[in-house]
């Protein structure tokens, strides 16, 4: 029995490794680049996050294999897209105010508006809720006027230059 020449064995081994490494090439970077391209195109076109066009981009980022070195970057983009597509919470009807010693007139008005907003949220009928909504709007308008004309303690209303 004759043993193959060492050079032939080494060449065969190298060819085998090249073939195997070609089969196990990570497709993640290519998929990530494709998704990034589409992502940037939608950003440039100022497409709203809720637009159905983003579903394609989400699918492309999700297609990046879990074991790819590009997966962490794809996960970051997916998280950002998910956050952008979520509905924003409703704006509060009023900001918290303060009452009692040391409270400014604006703080007291803010507290009154907060109380009205709570009552509106607890109202059992549409008629009551609508009436409270109008009173709350007036309260908020008054508060804006107060805040516009109020000055921090010690500042005074006159300009001393």
């Amino acid at each position: 029995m004759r043993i193959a020449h060492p050079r032939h064995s080494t060449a065969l081994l190298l060819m085998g490794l090249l073939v195997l490494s070609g089969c196990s090439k990570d497709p993640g970077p290519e998929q990530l680049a494709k998704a990034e391209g589409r992502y940037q195109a939608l950003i440039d076109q100022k497409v709203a996050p809720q637009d159905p066009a983003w579903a394609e981009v989400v699918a492309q980022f999700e297609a990046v294999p879990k074991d790819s070195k590009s997966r962490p970057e794809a996960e970051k983009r997916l998280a950002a897209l998910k956050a952008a597509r979520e509905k924003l919470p409703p704006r509060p009807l009023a900001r918290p105010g303060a009452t009692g010693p040391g409270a400014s007139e604006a703080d007291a008005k803010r507290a009154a508006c907060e109380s009205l907003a709570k009552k509106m949220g607890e109202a059992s009928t549409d008629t009551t809720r609508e009436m409270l909504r109008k009173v709350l709007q007036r309260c908020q308008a008054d508060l804006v006027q107060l805040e516009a004309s109020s000055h921090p303690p010690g500042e005074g209303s006159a300009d001393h230059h």
Side-chain angles (χ1 to χ4, degrees), residues 44-137:
D44 293 344
Q45 295 167 14
K46 296 180 176 33
V47 176
Q50 288 72 27
D51 192 286
W54 286 101
E56 172 195 350
V57 178
V58 168
Q60 288 176 340
F61 281 123
E62 286 175 343
V64 175
K66 301 267 189 229
D67 59 347
S68 170
K69 65 181 179 182
S70 299
R71 186 63 189 200
E73 187 61 34
E75 291 289 345
K76 284 182 196 173
R77 289 289 191 213
L78 284 167
L81 279 170
K82 182 179 182 243
R85 296 179 90 181
E86 286 178 353
K87 241 184 167 180
L88 293 175
R91 290 182 61 198
L93 293 173
R95 298 186 322 247
T99 57
S104 70
E105 192 177 351
D107 283 336
K109 180 56 87 172
R110 203 173 292 114
C113 292
E114 178 186 21
S115 175
L116 284 167
K118 285 179 181 176
K119 286 178 184 171
M120 187 176 133
E122 297 165 353
S124 57
T125 65
D126 288 341
T127 307
T128 306
R129 203 173 354 270
E130 186 59 27
M131 182 196 70
L132 286 168
R133 186 184 64 77
K134 287 178 183 175
V135 175
L136 176 59
Q137 285 176 332

Side-chain angles (χ1 to χ4, degrees), residues 19 52 121:
V19 168

Side-chain angles (χ1 to χ4, degrees), residues 21 23-31 64-65 67-71:
S21 67
C23 294
S24 65
K25 182 178 178 268
D26 182 3
E30 189 177 313
Q31 289 173 317
V64 175
D67 59 347
S68 170
K69 65 181 179 182
S70 299
R71 186 63 189 200

Side-chain angles (χ1 to χ4, degrees), residues 10-25:
T10 305
L12 284 173
L13 180 63
L14 283 175
M15 282 177 39
L17 286 175
L18 285 174
V19 168
L20 286 176
S21 67
C23 294
S24 65
K25 182 178 178 268

